[in-house]
Amino acid sequence: MHYIVGKLLAVVVLLTIGEQIHTMDLSKDTRVKYINPDGSCVQLSIGLAGIHANVPVAARLPFNSEFGPGIRGGSGPDRVTAYCDKRHIAAWNVTGPQTIKWMEYGCRTGRF
């Protein structure tokens, strides 16, 4: 199954659980490569999550690479599902009233 956190994917959440904090802390050199000049926030977020999780096919999604041409521009849940399916990126696509709870779960378990 392929799922992506829909319209809230670009939201950065820092969730504190007891004394443990889960964050996606990537280097400045990495973050600079994922600047969003063209409305590609969803693909760039997937790319950063791919770096964090060591999933190269996801990390390279917004850029031309051995996995295919870079995917840029606005994305709704259907478009995200289509390009994740095409590239075999396992992702969660959650929309609607349960989105925040799924985001919290992702943070608690170190998923982005």
Side-chain angles (χ1 to χ4, degrees):
M1 265 184 229
H2 298 284
Y3 302 90
I4 293 292
V5 176
K7 296 175 183 174
L8 297 177
L9 184 64
V11 174
V12 176
V13 177
L14 173 67
L15 183 65
T16 303
I17 305 164
E19 296 298 316
Q20 188 175 10
I21 298 175
H22 293 281
T23 74
M24 184 188 321
D25 188 20
L26 301 173
S27 72
K28 182 179 179 181
D29 289 340
T30 296
R31 292 189 316 268
V32 158
K33 295 174 186 172
Y34 286 77
I35 297 296
N36 183 15
D38 60 0
S40 299
C41 56
V42 173
Q43 296 91 331
L44 293 161
S45 295
I46 293 169
L48 290 168
I51 290 170
H52 176 76
N54 194 28
V55 179
V57 66
R60 302 296 300 151
L61 182 68
F63 309 106
N64 294 333
S65 72
E66 65 273 23
F67 304 111
I71 298 178
R72 305 298 288 219
S75 283
D78 292 341
R79 183 171 185 230
V80 173
T81 296
Y83 56 67
C84 284
D85 284 349
K86 184 175 181 179
R87 299 229 180 152
H88 307 288
I89 298 170
W92 289 78
N93 192 352
V94 178
T95 61
Q98 297 298 314
T99 302
I100 298 297
K101 288 184 181 188
W102 279 101
M103 290 174 67
E104 290 169 345
Y105 169 79
C107 289
R108 278 195 313 273
T109 59
R111 294 171 173 90
F112 296 92

